[in-house]
Amino acid sequence: DVTRRLAGLDTLSLSPGQILEKYSGDPRGAGIRRDILLDLQQAAVIRAVHSRRQLYEVMVDFWNNHFNVGFNKKFDYLLKPEDDRVAIRPHAMGSFRELLGASARSPAVLQSLDNDTNTRGKINENYGRELLELHTVGADNGYTQQDVSEAARAFTGWSIVTLREDAASAGTFVYRPRAHDDGAKTVMGLKIPANGGQKDGDALLDFLAAHPNTARHISLKLCRRFVSDSPSDAVVEIGASAFKSSKGDIKATLGAILHSPEFKASFGLKIKRPLEFVASSLRAIGAETSGEPRIQQALGAMGQPLFMWQPPNGFPDAAGAYLGASAFLARWNFALDLASGAFKETRFNLESLVGKADPITTLEQRLYGS
């Protein structure tokens, strides 16, 4: 059913080269970028509303933020669809190490964090820094500026095929041996011998994925997502222990958190982010939606224009980011527009919601469960 609903969003399944071919000679310029962005945005809403794999879709959204790629830098509009399809979605409930490796080889990530220009003798530290600060061990958590520089050296030569090199495979991952710094490296105590080539980066990923600080950092973010904006040390330790004992199994880590007493006591502690608010509203009334442009505008007004967060840290996961006066007013406006039928590609049957019983009682039960 979801596959059928996504069928018209054709750029979701295209490689960067195929997207280039599809829009070759298109005179609209920036209009191409809007087409591709809107396909991604509509797909996210369609999946959030209509997929039966709800926890999986929440985790896809979680990892898209964890490994955030802002949509307005260089050629991310060509590369993000494949990042979502190949790097994030297949690994969202699998092994963190496999997910980390897929992200490290994702052209969208490499380009967004400038690793496509990270070469021997001309080190660019952006990916090395965010790998440590955001993707694995966490900010100020056991590493130094020297470790950032050494990490960047490990990923020299990890790059992207350019259009000038090969139009058909443009935007795909490539390792350039001549651009790699083959000297010995040391990152957070890990000694990487000289002349390791591409294995330098993989050795560092292995080390970071298994690091105890990574376990705690990932657990903290998951607890912040599922339990509260300020989760207790106890529940964070539950998740971190599961991460370590399962060797980074995402399902096992998440399962430990969701079976914790803290999760069971967490009802009402989290404010819904805009995407959750929209999706839960549409699901509650049994709506059919295309994730239409007007819904995307509403999400932007509420503070979450999908795939448009520019810093590499992803959309905030705390209430304060979404409860300003204008953002909260936008929630009321969305609810009013939904109730009045203002969204032309979003339909629901009001009579079937109410039935023949008392409408207030029926709606209370349907919308609030009591």
Side-chain angles (χ1 to χ4, degrees):
D1 177 58
V2 171
T3 301
R4 175 182 58 79
R5 294 175 187 275
L6 298 175
L9 309 176
D10 57 349
T11 62
L12 297 179
S13 60
L14 300 181
S15 70
Q18 289 171 326
I19 292 175
L20 282 171
E21 182 179 2
K22 172 182 171 65
Y23 288 101
S24 177
D26 193 304
R28 291 175 302 153
I32 301 170
R33 186 187 298 261
R34 283 194 296 274
D35 279 3
I36 300 167
L37 173 62
L38 190 56
D39 278 3
L40 278 168
Q41 291 175 325
Q42 289 189 239
V45 171
I46 288 170
R47 286 166 165 149
V49 174
H50 293 296
S51 173
R52 295 176 65 185
R53 303 175 67 192
Q54 282 299 291
L55 183 57
Y56 169 75
E57 293 300 337
V58 169
M59 290 305 295
V60 168
D61 177 67
F62 176 86
W63 294 121
N64 264 316
N65 279 282
H66 185 78
F67 298 102
N68 185 56
V69 173
F71 208 81
N72 278 334
K73 186 172 182 181
K74 293 192 281 192
F75 300 106
D76 278 327
Y77 70 101
L78 295 174
L79 304 176
K80 181 56 189 176
E82 190 165 82
D83 176 72
D84 181 70
R85 184 178 71 248
V86 175
I88 302 294
R89 299 190 66 82
H91 305 290
M93 292 285 273
S95 156
F96 178 74
R97 171 62 182 87
E98 292 180 5
L99 172 61
L100 183 65
S103 173
R105 284 172 167 78
S106 168
V109 173
L110 292 174
Q111 185 239 208
S112 178
L113 295 175
D114 303 306
N115 208 81
D116 54 334
T117 62
N118 182 24
T119 62
R120 174 170 52 92
K122 191 180 179 181
I123 303 296
N124 187 302
E125 296 181 350
N126 286 357
Y127 177 69
R129 177 176 293 104
E130 306 309 349
L131 174 66
L132 298 174
E133 179 179 330
L134 298 177
H135 299 172
T136 57
V137 296
D140 302 321
N141 206 357
Y143 66 89
T144 65
Q145 174 56 41
Q146 181 64 24
D147 291 317
V148 170
S149 300
E150 295 284 279
R153 289 179 59 218
F155 289 97
T156 47
W158 289 46
S159 191
I160 306 167
V161 177
T162 65
L163 185 62
R164 194 178 309 160
E165 289 173 305
D166 183 358
S169 60
T172 58
F173 174 78
V174 64
Y175 172 67
R176 305 184 189 278
R178 292 184 178 181
H180 184 66
D181 182 336
D182 266 324
K185 306 160 185 76
T186 302
V187 183
M188 296 181 69
L190 173 69
K191 296 187 182 301
I192 303 174
N195 303 313
Q198 188 176 350
K199 292 180 181 178
D200 290 357
D202 285 319
L204 182 53
L205 295 177
D206 289 341
F207 172 78
L208 292 173
H211 199 284
N213 290 358
T214 298
R216 182 169 179 79
H217 180 57
I218 299 301
S219 177
L220 174 62
K221 291 193 70 173
L222 287 170
C223 291
R224 191 178 292 136
R225 182 70 182 79
F226 288 95
V227 180
S228 76
D229 290 358
S230 301
S232 69
D233 288 341
V235 71
V236 173
E237 183 53 38
I238 287 172
S241 295
F243 187 97
K244 287 182 280 190
S245 63
S246 67
K247 297 183 178 177
D249 183 276
I250 295 167
K251 262 187 193 174
T253 304
L254 188 56
I257 293 168
L258 297 185
H259 284 95
S260 69
E262 287 82 359
F263 176 75
K264 291 174 184 176
S266 69
F267 183 80
L269 296 184
K270 287 288 291 185
I271 295 294
K272 294 178 184 180
R273 292 199 300 182
L275 177 58
E276 294 174 279
F277 176 65
V278 167
S280 62
S281 299
L282 296 177
R283 288 171 69 85
I285 62 175
E288 297 274 328
T289 187
S290 68
E292 61 190 278
R294 187 164 178 176
I295 283 181
Q296 303 305 328
Q297 293 166 8
L299 282 165
M302 292 181 227
Q304 195 179 9
L306 301 181
F307 300 100
M308 290 292 285
W309 184 265
Q310 296 309 304
N313 59 348
F315 282 103
D317 206 356
Y322 305 106
L323 293 184
S326 60
F328 204 60
L329 178 61
R331 294 190 181 222
W332 281 102
N333 287 337
F334 170 80
L336 291 166
D337 286 345
L338 182 60
S340 64
F343 298 106
K344 302 306 179 186
E345 298 175 29
T346 300
R347 297 171 298 280
F348 63 97
N349 187 322
L350 188 59
E351 291 182 4
S352 70
L353 284 180
V354 176
K356 297 180 180 179
D358 172 62
I360 300 300
T361 302
T362 304
L363 284 173
E364 281 177 339
Q365 188 66 40
R366 173 140 193 157
L367 302 180
Y368 303 112
S370 65

